[in-house]
Amino acid sequence: MSEFFAFDYHGAPFELFGPHHLVALLLIILLNLAIVFYRGRFTPSQRKSLRSGLAVILLVNEALWHIWNWTTGQWTIQTMLPLHLCSLLVFLSAYMLVTRSYTIFEFVYFLGIAGASQALLTPDAGIYGFPHFRFFQVMISHGAIVTAAIFMTFVEGFRPTWLSVVKVAVVGNLYMLAVGLVNALLGSNYLFIARKPETASLLDVLGPWPWYIMVMEGLALVMVLLLYLPYALKDWRAQRRLSSQITP
C-alpha cells in the first residue's frame, strides 16, 4: 500500500500505449458505449443517482489528488490551482451533473470531450505507472469528464447549437487570456501556454513556443466543429425535409 501512494515510486513507470494504458482506455470506451446502448432504459431516479454518483467520483478523485500532492510536498500555487482545462472541467462537470445545467453542458461537451480525450491518449502521469495511485487518478479524472458529457448528451438528451460553438470559442479565448495573466503573475504554466509540459504530449509536434499555441487554437476549432458536425447534419436534413413538405 505504501508504494501505491509513494512519491518515490519504485514500480514500473508509465508506458504510453502500454498494456495497462490500453486496458484503461478500453474500459472507458466500453463504459461509454454501454451508456449509449442502455440510454433509454434508465428511469428518472436511476438517471439522477448515476449523475450524482459520477459527480461524487469526480470530486473525490480530485480531492485525493490534491491531498496526495500536499502530503508529498508537491502542492504549490504555481501547479495546483484548478486552472488547467481538465482541472476546471472536473468542477464544471460535477456541477452540470447535479444541476443539469445546459450552459455548463455546452462547455463540457466541446472542451471536455476534446480536451480530456487528448489527455487520456497522452496522460500526464509522469513516472507513475500501474498500479500507482497517480495512474488511476489521471485515467479516472479524464475518463469521468468524457463520460459526464456522454451521459448528458445521450441519456439526458442535451445537445449543442451553433450558438454553443460561438460561446465556447469566445469564452475559451477570454479564459486563456486571463490564465496568461495569472501565469505572468505567478510564474506558472497553466494551460501550458507559457511553455510545453515536460511529459510527452500532442504539443511536442506543434512547433516551438509561441507558435504551438496558435496551432493548438486551430486544432481546438477543428475538434469543436467535428463534435458539432453530427448535429449540423441532423439540422440540415431536418430543414430539407421541412422544405420538401412545404414546397408544392
Side-chain angles (χ1 to χ4, degrees):
M1 182 59 72
S2 60
E3 276 292 296
F4 181 77
F5 290 108
F7 170 68
D8 186 16
Y9 182 57
H10 297 100
F14 177 81
E15 181 183 354
L16 188 65
F17 300 123
H20 297 121
H21 184 200
L22 291 176
V23 168
L25 291 175
L26 178 61
L27 290 175
I28 292 168
I29 291 170
L30 291 176
L31 171 62
N32 284 281
L33 287 177
I35 288 173
V36 174
F37 182 78
Y38 290 106
R39 62 187 181 278
R41 304 185 187 184
F42 299 119
T43 66
S45 176
Q46 289 172 333
R47 293 203 304 268
K48 183 178 180 180
S49 296
L50 288 170
R51 291 199 318 271
S52 299
L54 186 54
V56 169
I57 289 172
L58 280 161
L59 295 176
V60 170
N61 187 64
E62 189 72 6
L64 291 173
W65 167 234
H66 282 265
I67 292 170
W68 182 72
N69 277 275
W70 182 268
T71 57
T72 56
Q74 301 178 83
W75 203 103
T76 68
I77 196 172
Q78 286 79 22
T79 59
M80 292 303 298
L81 294 180
L83 295 179
H84 278 303
L85 183 60
C86 288
S87 296
L88 177 64
L89 285 167
V90 164
F91 297 100
L92 292 179
S93 298
Y95 180 83
M96 172 193 69
L97 288 163
V98 173
T99 65
R100 298 183 76 252
S101 169
Y102 177 76
T103 300
I104 301 300
F105 164 79
E106 294 176 290
F107 293 93
V108 174
Y109 176 80
F110 288 116
L111 301 179
I113 294 178
S117 295
Q118 189 274 326
L120 284 169
L121 292 175
T122 57
D124 181 20
I127 64 169
Y128 303 105
F130 179 88
H132 192 272
F133 159 76
R134 176 58 174 157
F135 174 88
F136 290 99
Q137 186 275 326
V138 71
M139 300 306 293
I140 290 172
S141 177
H142 297 103
I145 291 171
V146 173
T147 301
I150 296 296
F151 190 92
M152 297 304 292
T153 302
F154 289 95
V155 179
E156 296 296 337
F158 286 18
R159 58 149 293 178
T161 65
W162 273 117
L163 183 58
S164 305
V165 175
V166 175
K167 285 181 183 178
V168 168
V170 173
V171 175
N173 279 281
L174 290 175
Y175 179 72
M176 185 171 67
L177 288 174
V179 172
L181 292 176
V182 172
N183 286 338
L185 290 171
L186 299 180
S188 53
N189 190 26
Y190 293 113
L191 296 182
F192 302 121
I193 55 177
R195 57 188 177 276
K196 294 182 182 181
E198 296 179 2
T199 55
S201 73
L202 178 62
L203 301 183
D204 292 335
V205 297
L206 300 186
W209 185 93
W211 307 112
Y212 74 81
I213 298 174
M214 288 179 277
V215 178
M216 184 171 61
E217 286 249 2
L219 289 175
L221 178 60
V222 170
M223 286 295 297
V224 166
L225 293 176
L226 285 175
L227 286 168
Y228 186 69
L229 182 60
Y231 298 100
L233 292 174
K234 181 180 179 181
D235 292 343
W236 176 72
R237 290 179 185 136
Q239 186 61 42
R240 286 199 63 181
R241 285 196 299 268
L242 181 60
S243 299
S244 64
Q245 292 171 0
I246 295 175
T247 303

